[in-house]
Amino acid sequence: MDITATDLWDRVFGTQPAPSHWTVIVTGLVALLAVLPRPVWRLTRNAVTIAHEGGHALVALVSGRRLSGIRLHSDTSGLTVSRGRPTGPGMVLTAAAGYVAPSLLGLAGAALLAAGHSTALLWGAAGLLAAMLVMIRNAYGVLTVLLAGAAFVLVSWRAGSEVQGMFAYAVVWFLLLGGVRPVFELQHKRRYRGAGDSDADQLARLTRTPAALWLLLFHVVTLASLVAGGRWLLGV
């Protein structure tokens, strides 16, 4: 059966019924299980790295910097390279965007789900991953982003509304919960002097303020996003 442009528009931007309260809770528990156990986190953290580096890249472009490329590594680290002034607001915003990006994306996703736009969320995520793919500069990064994008496209195009809703809620819960853990990991590394060139330390050098202050900001943004996004998802 042929799909017209109107049908496609209604399919993507129309509203979908909210899942049951228990479905929301179960998807949150599934996301929690993807974040807490260390062996699982070693794999799922790759998704948080995609959001982290995507945050750096997006803010670099918005602030007028020239994006050179993004690399994603199998140890879940990443690198985003942009060109422009080595100091100034653009560089500060770009450096600050990484650790808060997963949580802010999760918060935006929670707002979309609260409004009943689970399909639009899935298509939007696929579009962002496609745009990011153009700037990936290593094979592992290409594979990771392709697999993530394929999952979103497959679910949004082939699955029913119920499965789409469950998948969308699980993804948003994961971003909200998964955005919190890396900040605590960074705090732990800095305590033992294992992250001397972290985003917080770069920001400290750029702004001549303590790295601990930036670490506190990361904690505030990620935890506040989790609380606000969680309330939207649960409808409380």
Side-chain angles (χ1 to χ4, degrees), residues 18-228:
S20 69
H21 193 67
W22 282 110
T23 298
V24 177
I25 293 174
V26 168
T27 54
L29 292 175
V30 169
L32 192 62
L33 290 174
V35 171
L36 287 182
R38 188 180 296 272
V40 179
W41 177 241
R42 290 197 190 100
L43 177 63
T44 59
R45 199 183 193 281
N46 284 284
V48 175
T49 302
I50 291 174
H52 179 116
E53 300 304 328
H56 283 312
L58 178 61
V59 174
L61 290 173
V62 170
S63 63
R65 298 180 63 80
R66 296 185 300 277
L67 189 61
S68 298
I70 304 169
R71 290 180 174 271
L72 304 172
H73 304 128
S74 58
D75 63 356
T76 73
S77 65
L79 177 66
T80 298
V81 178
S82 62
R83 296 180 180 179
R85 289 184 57 192
T87 59
M91 188 63 206
V92 171
L93 290 172
T94 299
Y99 275 98
V100 300
S103 295
L104 293 179
L105 285 172
L107 186 62
L112 282 173
L113 292 180
H117 294 296
S118 58
T119 303
L121 183 149
L122 297 177
W123 279 80
L128 288 174
L129 288 167
M132 186 176 180
L133 183 62
V134 177
M135 299 308 301
I136 300 294
R137 295 293 182 262
N138 66 322
Y140 182 82
V142 169
L143 177 63
T144 304
V145 174
L146 274 177
L147 289 175
F152 279 100
V153 171
L154 183 64
V155 172
S156 62
W157 190 255
R158 302 295 299 177
S161 60
E162 185 175 350
V163 174
Q164 287 184 19
M166 292 176 63
F167 182 77
Y169 271 81
V171 167
V172 171
W173 273 121
F174 174 76
L175 288 171
L176 292 170
L177 293 164
V180 172
R181 180 164 179 171
V183 183
F184 282 97
E185 291 176 340
L186 175 60
Q187 182 178 356
H188 182 268
K189 288 179 180 178
R190 291 195 73 259
R191 183 178 301 168
Y192 295 98
R193 301 182 183 278
D197 198 36
S198 70
D199 292 353
D201 292 283
Q202 292 180 42
L203 286 162
R205 291 191 291 270
L206 286 167
T207 62
R208 299 183 181 180
T209 56
L213 186 63
W214 290 100
L215 192 60
L216 175 62
L217 176 64
F218 295 161
H219 277 303
V220 169
V221 172
T222 56
L223 290 171
S225 296
L226 174 59
V227 172

